[in-house]
Amino acid sequence: MLGLMQSQGLMISSILTHAARHHGAAEVVSRTHENTTHRYTWAGVERRSRRLVKVLLAHGVERQDRVGTLAWNGYRHLEVYYASSGMEAIVHTINPRLHPDDIAYIINHAADKILFVDLSFAPLISLIAARIADTVKTVVMLTDTANMPEVTLAPGMTLACYEQLMDAADEDYVWPRFDENTAASLCYTSGTTGRPKGVLYSHRSTWLHAYAVSMPDVLDIRATSRILPVVPMFHVNAWGTPYATALAGAALILPGRHLDGASMAGLLNAERVTFTSGVPTVWLGLLQHLRSSGQRLETVTRIMTGGSAAPPLLIEAFRDEYGIRFEQGWGMTELSPVGTFNAPKPAQAGLTRDEAARHMLKQGRILPGLDMKIVDGDGRELPWDGVAFGDLKVRGPWVASAYFGEEPGAALDKDGWFATGDVATIDPDGFMEITDRSKDVIKSGGEWISSITLENLAVSHPDVMEAAVIAAAHPKWDERPLLLVVPLPGHTVDPASVLALLEGKVAKWWLPDEVVVVDELPHTATGKLLKTSLRTRYKDHYLKA
Ligand code: ADP
């Protein structure tokens, strides 16, 4: 027998209509390309999104067509999000930091019919126009007529101005209802190896993820919160904040393109932001600015970090110098993206300050709705003792089942688990800690060494800004760890002192055979260490020695 409850599909448009109807006056604030501040409300977002649907319809966008965006976090980008998904098309956010070849590939692979582009990316569009001309018919610049840039398109493509199109449209539109499993948005993983792959989110997965991240032990989003996602809307939907803030009726502050420490501190204070989210490099920049300028953050109480391991320095510096909780989450494009969050259980109540800081290095507990496990090389589940580490697998309603263009289930094992490509431990309280990417773990004499553990220790050295540990081939042990460090500006690093700092903190055989000081380390388009290129460069380091 079925339950006798209304079954109302989870539509992304109803997130927006909820915000407009029940939190109509809540603010959406954007820092624009010209560095001015644009303010309106969730009611305004809903009205303008309806107007934008009329623009999309006028340009021949049909159900399930892909609508591409190349844009910073801003209100027009937000309107493209809601209008495209709401009318049953698919918003495809493109990461502008990828190589232009990859961007052209992604646009063609996704078959984007129309592109919405921020002024910063006008030169990029001119560069790739000829390569995307068979796919993209219209390029709409996200600006007004006064600021239209020069863009060279290929024959057959049309250039348009967002505000001009909006002025010519009306708002006479009723949001449709359809199956909640319908595709709503598309995001490609940055593909550190091989071609980028598309993850296709549904209305249902987006709703459930937005609910889960809003919970008190995750982002704790309230109507009184003022939330600034530094994490870009062009990659994994800014960790779901554009949806979760609307559900709660929170104020949403969109920072545009200036993400340096000084701009961030200014905006966080000016807009009385209470919570902000982003990757560690952004927080390093912010911390450096705060320390050198003496400026304080007046209203921020919590910072969420994710995307790569949280450096211990940041956890302690924000807590001890600024009284701000620096909290870590873990996830990936295939998980919408948030999978775990580190919020304490009663068992953590008695931790000393040092123990608490150490505990915050863990990536955290699984969000309710998902499940996780760690397995050994033969697929056998490993114990949750905080010591055994193995391949991390997850499953749940906001985990990808296949990549765009594949059959459903193609990315899963026979029991429905998705292999994350991360290697992790899980402690008895259910806190997961990433010890490596599967492809980065160092296999020395048949035993595994965690590169991330060594990197975390190395960056606690007073002269080290960034560190990378990679596997270098070794005649006796197959692989041995090699540690590369970048000095802090104005500092020099004594390699022996880095090794001395590691000694006693890890097993002796984990200690890198050598520390190499370098000027900089390569990064991916999403700010992660690009270890593939380091491995190519240094794999024979110990063989040559
Ligand atoms: P990309 O940006 O490269 O397309 P994702 O954003 O999907 O890929 O990156 C997901 C990966 O980032 C995870 O599998 C994990 O390796 C890493 N990652 C994410 N969050 C954390 C974290 N808090 N600590 C350590 N690694 C993390």
Side-chain angles (χ1 to χ4, degrees):
M1 192 186 311
L2 295 178
L4 289 172
M5 304 304 285
Q6 297 185 15
S7 84
Q8 194 165 283
L10 301 173
M11 299 285 98
I12 286 179
S13 60
S14 58
I15 298 179
L16 186 57
T17 51
H18 167 82
R21 186 169 161 84
H22 299 280
H23 303 279
E27 276 194 299
V28 174
V29 182
S30 306
R31 191 54 49 100
T32 67
H33 192 83
E34 295 76 28
N35 233 358
T36 58
T37 304
H38 174 275
R39 326 183 81 88
Y40 67 158
T41 61
W42 279 112
V45 181
E46 196 271 337
R47 260 197 318 275
R48 292 222 343 149
S49 299
R50 268 187 277 133
R51 188 176 278 267
L52 180 56
V53 172
K54 297 302 270 297
V55 170
L56 291 169
L57 291 170
H59 280 80
V61 174
E62 294 176 6
R63 293 171 54 235
Q64 299 292 281
D65 276 348
R66 268 73 72 196
V67 174
T69 67
L70 272 164
W72 301 110
N73 294 5
Y75 67 103
R76 295 183 181 117
H77 199 179
L78 187 68
E79 291 162 4
V80 182
Y81 261 53
Y82 278 110
S84 310
S85 303
M87 67 161 283
E88 210 182 340
I90 299 171
V91 58
H92 169 211
T93 55
I94 306 160
N95 185 343
R97 296 198 180 116
L98 294 175
H99 191 279
D101 290 347
D102 276 338
I103 294 178
Y105 166 84
I106 287 175
I107 290 171
N108 288 326
H109 190 263
D112 294 333
K113 198 173 209 173
I114 183 167
L115 282 184
F116 288 85
V117 180
D118 256 348
L119 292 179
S120 311
F121 310 117
L124 172 66
I125 286 297
S126 301
L127 180 72
I128 62 171
R131 281 180 272 171
I132 57 173
D134 288 343
T135 311
V136 176
K137 295 299 153 227
T138 314
V139 173
V140 183
M141 300 308 297
L142 291 167
T143 189
D144 52 21
T145 41
N147 291 291
M148 273 300 277
E150 288 283 321
V151 184
T152 316
L153 295 180
M157 295 170 91
T158 313
L159 184 67
C161 165
Y162 189 83
E163 291 303 335
Q164 201 174 14
L165 296 178
M166 291 289 272
D167 285 346
D170 63 53
E171 295 160 0
D172 184 13
Y173 183 74
V174 179
W175 297 107
R177 292 205 153 270
F178 41 86
D179 185 340
E180 64 181 15
N181 292 299
T182 304
S185 59
L186 176 64
C187 176
Y188 281 69
T189 64
S190 46
T192 41
T193 51
R195 281 297 199 180
K197 291 183 281 190
V199 179
L200 189 60
Y201 310 105
S202 68
H203 285 255
R204 174 183 159 81
S205 71
T206 305
W207 249 96
L208 296 176
H209 177 263
Y211 252 123
V213 298
S214 303
M215 293 184 74
D217 268 355
V218 193
L219 305 191
D220 190 18
I221 302 188
R222 296 154 187 263
T224 48
S225 307
R226 296 183 65 82
I227 297 186
L228 188 153
V230 185
V231 46
M233 289 168 69
F234 60 66
H235 193 57
V236 277
N237 303 323
W239 298 347
T241 43
Y243 306 112
T245 47
L247 272 186
L252 178 62
I253 323 295
L254 300 170
R257 65 188 167 129
H258 296 293
L259 305 176
D260 58 284
S263 306
M264 288 306 309
L267 188 59
L268 290 166
N269 282 340
E271 292 303 330
R272 307 184 318 282
V273 170
T274 56
F275 173 81
T276 177
S277 52
V279 295
T281 32
V282 169
W283 308 131
L284 278 170
L286 179 62
L287 179 66
Q288 274 165 11
H289 165 77
L290 294 176
R291 281 178 166 175
S292 61
S293 67
Q295 196 176 2
R296 312 238 3 133
L297 297 181
E298 287 149 21
T299 51
V300 173
T301 57
R302 295 164 59 228
I303 293 177
M304 175 184 175
T305 188
S308 53
L313 160 81
L314 289 177
I315 295 170
E316 288 170 40
F318 278 108
R319 180 190 66 181
D320 300 342
E321 295 168 37
Y322 300 96
I324 293 171
R325 277 151 58 201
F326 191 78
E327 299 178 341
Q328 172 159 220
W330 163 90
M332 56 197 308
T333 310
E334 290 87 337
L335 268 67
S336 302
V338 185
T340 66
F341 195 82
N342 188 332
K345 279 183 168 178
Q348 277 73 55
L351 297 184
T352 64
R353 282 179 87 72
D354 283 353
E355 286 166 347
R358 167 71 192 83
H359 185 78
M360 290 306 297
L361 294 177
K362 298 188 183 219
Q363 277 67 20
R365 298 188 270 120
I366 198 83
L367 267 50
L370 303 184
D371 197 6
M372 66 177 169
K373 66 175 180 180
I374 44 173
V375 299
D376 67 14
D378 298 322
R380 274 189 303 261
E381 188 163 358
L382 290 166
W384 293 18
D385 58 8
V387 179
F389 53 95
D391 293 312
L392 177 67
K393 293 190 162 193
V394 291
R395 65 177 174 197
W398 57 91
V399 178
S401 105
Y403 292 98
F404 184 54
E406 294 178 349
E407 288 300 310
L412 307 180
D413 69 16
K414 64 177 183 1
D415 300 316
W417 292 88
F418 175 83
T420 62
D422 285 324
V423 176
T425 61
I426 304 176
D427 74 15
D429 283 322
F431 286 82
M432 182 274 285
E433 181 164 12
I434 304 273
T435 57
D436 243 314
R437 292 290 292 166
S438 331
K439 55 187 188 305
D440 295 335
V441 75
I442 297 136
K443 294 179 178 146
S444 173
E447 299 286 340
W448 290 12
I449 297 174
S450 154
S451 65
I452 291 182
T453 306
L454 296 174
E455 287 159 9
N456 279 344
L457 288 169
V459 292
S460 65
H461 187 286
D463 297 318
V464 172
M465 185 169 80
E466 202 180 8
V469 173
I470 54 153
H474 192 277
K476 180 164 177 202
W477 301 108
D478 289 340
E479 290 177 359
R480 288 291 303 153
L482 175 69
L483 171 56
L484 306 164
V485 292
V486 181
L488 277 165
H491 292 235
T492 46
V493 176
D494 167 23
S497 70
V498 179
L499 281 181
L501 183 124
L502 300 183
E503 261 167 48
K505 300 201 176 76
V506 292
K508 215 163 173 208
W509 58 275
W510 277 42
L511 289 178
D513 294 20
E514 204 178 317
V515 178
V516 178
V517 180
V518 293
D519 291 338
E520 58 177 359
L521 291 168
H523 294 93
T524 68
T526 50
K528 296 183 217 299
L529 277 172
L530 190 55
K531 290 203 178 169
T532 40
S533 91
L534 289 174
R535 274 198 301 269
T536 316
R537 190 144 149 228
Y538 289 98
K539 70 177 185 322
D540 295 336
H541 189 82
Y542 292 137
L543 303 180
K544 284 188 210 133

